[in-house]
Amino acid sequence: MALDNFITGAPTNLRSLEGHPDFEFHEANVNEPVEVEGDVRYILHFASPASPPQYDANPIHTLKVGTIGTMNMLGLARAKDARFLLASTSEVYGDPLVHPQREDYWGNVNPIGPRGCYDEAKRCAEAFAMAYYRAHGVDTRIVRIFNTHGPRMQVADGRAVPNFMAQAIRGEPLTVYGDGSQTRSLCYVSDLVRGVLANLERGDELPVNLGNPREVTMLQLAEIIIRLAGSKSKIEHRPLPVDDPKQRQPDITKARTVLGWEPEVDLEDGLGRTLEYFRSVVN
Ligand code: UDP
């Protein structure tokens, strides 16, 4: 069963599941109490805008879904005696002063900046998960997801991969913010999904980083996408957003040792697959 209010998702993404006998969908907002009949074995709480322009456009909703929405889903897990998994984020590390980021780093987050609504909501969500684990013995998991991309991201998502791909396909300039020296480490969605499921089965209550440690600058990313798309697009620099993290790379030692997980899809292969999808939807 899946619940979504489509604040950033789209019903068309569920098309392949339509009519599947084991799949049920309900349009719902987890910020409101949710009632589910019958047994529930697992709850995977992924609800939230995750793109900076989208959470900037919906700051109160973003705060609510990380806090009240998480509390509601933990309450449901407790009532149903279900295992609960929280989709947390590398944003809990903020603009990190430790590199690469390990799970024991507490982060460098500005609570009152434009990213505060997302970063602090996810930090609060982690605190909620730990509180339900300690106070009520709920079987909880926390995954800290680093930048991930893949088919079915929105064209107007606003993050670097969808922007650069749509721009490269249309022959428009790629908008690199700042001088493009800031780094990210990009994971392909199928690797991420394997990691989430491995943590659901074999993880513990403490957070685990999931991401691909291969780090690139945003200028390199733009150049790779132009090349893969066979595009004639140029690069145009735009102002760097406030509090944009300068560097980000997961230390995945814990995922490797505890879960036996590591990414398998290399950067260019993954970007090629995502590009194929964008070619089918960008016009
Ligand atoms: N970025 C960029 N051009 C864009 C969109 C994003 O240069 O059109 C940069 C952004 O400033 C950041 C990086 O790409 O440094 C990754 O941004 P994204 O929004 O994908 O995710 P974030 O990791 O910041 O949440």
Side-chain angles (χ1 to χ4, degrees), residues 52 55 91 115 147 158-161 163-164 167 175-177 182 184 218 240-241 244-245 248:
Y55 53 70
E91 284 288 324
R115 302 173 86 99
N147 295 65
R159 278 175 283 186
V161 169
N163 277 7
F164 291 170
Q167 290 159 346
T175 52
V176 170
Y177 302 159
Q182 69 274 28
R184 295 294 186 270
M218 290 306 98
L240 191 65
D244 197 280
R248 185 182 285 157

Side-chain angles (χ1 to χ4, degrees), residues 154-214:
Q154 283 184 307
V155 176
D157 173 278
R159 278 175 283 186
V161 169
N163 277 7
F164 291 170
M165 289 195 175
Q167 290 159 346
I169 292 165
R170 292 175 177 142
E172 295 168 358
L174 272 65
T175 52
V176 170
Y177 302 159
D179 64 5
S181 63
Q182 69 274 28
T183 67
R184 295 294 186 270
S185 306
L186 297 162
C187 186
Y188 186 67
V189 64
S190 60
D191 280 334
L192 195 268
V193 169
R194 276 194 308 106
V196 168
L197 296 178
N199 192 49
L200 195 61
E201 293 302 336
R202 301 191 286 280
D204 57 31
E205 77 285 4
L206 295 174
V208 62
N209 289 337
L210 293 180
N212 190 323
R214 164 92 189 271

Side-chain angles (χ1 to χ4, degrees), residues 41 49 53 57 81 103 121 124 134 148 168 206 229 244 252 264 281-282:
R41 205 159 143 214
D81 203 14
E103 289 88 350
C124 181
R134 293 189 180 112
T148 299
L206 295 174
D244 197 280
I252 59 165
E264 288 167 355
V281 288
V282 171

